[in-house]
Amino acid sequence: EPEVTQTPSHQVTQMGQEVILRCVPISNHLYFYWYRQILGQKVEFLVSFYNNEISEKSEIFDDQFSVERPDGSNFTLKIRSTKLEDSAMYFCASSEARGGLNTEAFFGQGTRLTVV
Amino acid sequence: SQELEQSPQSLIVQEGKNLTINCTSSKTLYGLYWYKQKYGEGLIFLMMLQKGGEEKSHEKITAKLDEKKQQSSLHITASQPSHAGIYLCGADELRGRESEKLVFGKGTKLTVNP
């Protein structure tokens, strides 16, 4: 069964360093998303991406964050200068059609980012 | 913005027992999704509900969306240890083309004791 895959599963980084989280969405999906879950808190939307551009972003997704689809299969989230409060589980998701139109999104296993 | 409240926050049941998890929205639900998360892992899609009064089942899990579309329940019949995990409800924040994002409840942690 097709699935969303994320790498690495766990990353530890020093505060101020740049990190890139990688995702391979389901191959025929066109819409891609990043969510995060700080320990003990709700899963929160960060950004959605379609047709090689950001289609929606939350207030969390500030200038330190960026997303890219560098080739036909990968979808990345870059955090430029990590802060302690960026420590969270980051989930990538993809869907066939546009979210908000009752279309299920399929989530990856997540990358646990720890900033020290 | 839309808020989803889940109850209970955690639940411990004996294997074989039935259980229900509730998800209540502060606004009308236009799409309601149930996901299961195992500790430290990803979200596994379970079911999507759209219409008031709709009910869907998958194996021993049944989910309903009430007629007013502000509450959903997830019912597990004859629970098994494999049902253990965190159940999350998620909703399309706004109707139709206005938003793509899902908002989630805090989750209900289910433990099933053998």
Side-chain angles (χ1 to χ4, degrees), chain A residues 20-112:
Chain A
I20 298 176
L21 310 183
R22 301 180 192 278
C23 169
V24 179
I26 294 173
S27 60
N28 63 330
H29 286 184
L30 301 176
Y31 296 84
F32 314 115
Y33 314 88
W34 284 101
Y35 286 77
R36 78 172 185 190
Q37 185 179 33
I38 295 171
L39 189 64
Q41 298 187 23
K42 296 181 181 183
V43 176
E44 303 172 289
F45 171 82
L46 291 178
V47 65
S48 58
F49 191 86
Y50 169 69
N51 201 25
N52 280 320
E53 61 182 25
I54 290 172
S55 50
E56 187 174 356
K57 60 183 181 179
S58 71
E59 59 276 7
I60 303 168
F61 194 88
D62 61 21
D63 291 344
Q64 69 162 153
F65 291 94
S66 62
V67 289
E68 193 178 31
R69 188 153 161 83
D71 54 43
S73 58
N74 290 287
F75 179 50
T76 62
L77 174 70
K78 183 191 290 187
I79 309 175
R80 260 180 272 286
S81 176
T82 50
K83 298 178 277 197
L84 294 176
E85 54 265 38
D86 293 328
S87 296
M89 182 76 98
Y90 287 81
F91 294 107
C92 173
S94 67
S95 62
E96 283 184 333
R98 192 171 185 272
L101 291 177
N102 298 318
T103 300
E104 61 266 37
F106 292 89
F107 284 74
Q109 295 283 82
T111 292
R112 181 168 296 284

Side-chain angles (χ1 to χ4, degrees), chain B:
Chain B
S1 63
Q2 189 160 34
E3 294 283 330
L4 295 178
E5 292 294 326
Q6 287 187 239
S7 61
Q9 290 185 329
S10 66
L11 193 53
I12 302 173
V13 300
Q14 206 64 31
E15 184 177 357
K17 294 294 186 186
N18 302 337
L19 62 106
T20 300
I21 297 168
N22 293 303
C23 175
T24 303
S25 172
S26 58
K27 298 182 180 180
T28 300
L29 293 162
Y30 293 107
L32 189 285
Y33 306 80
W34 283 100
Y35 287 87
K36 180 184 174 185
Q37 181 181 24
K38 292 216 159 181
Y39 180 75
E41 295 185 16
L43 280 64
I44 301 164
F45 173 76
L46 296 175
M47 275 172 277
M48 175 180 71
L49 303 165
Q50 297 173 242
K51 301 173 186 173
E54 185 174 12
E55 179 175 322
K56 286 188 177 177
S57 293
H58 175 68
E59 297 178 347
K60 293 185 177 178
I61 301 176
T62 300
K64 300 179 188 179
L65 181 61
D66 76 353
E67 289 289 345
K68 292 184 180 178
K69 294 173 67 176
Q70 284 200 257
Q71 187 172 54
S72 178
S73 59
L74 185 86
H75 184 75
I76 299 177
T77 304
S79 57
Q80 299 167 2
S82 60
H83 288 126
I86 300 169
Y87 288 82
L88 298 172
C89 63
D92 294 321
E93 184 172 60
L94 296 169
R95 185 173 191 170
R97 297 185 173 276
E98 295 170 36
S99 175
E100 298 178 344
K101 72 179 186 183
L102 292 178
V103 292
F104 286 91
K106 283 196 84 171
T108 295
K109 183 179 178 183
L110 173 64
T111 304
V112 181
N113 290 327

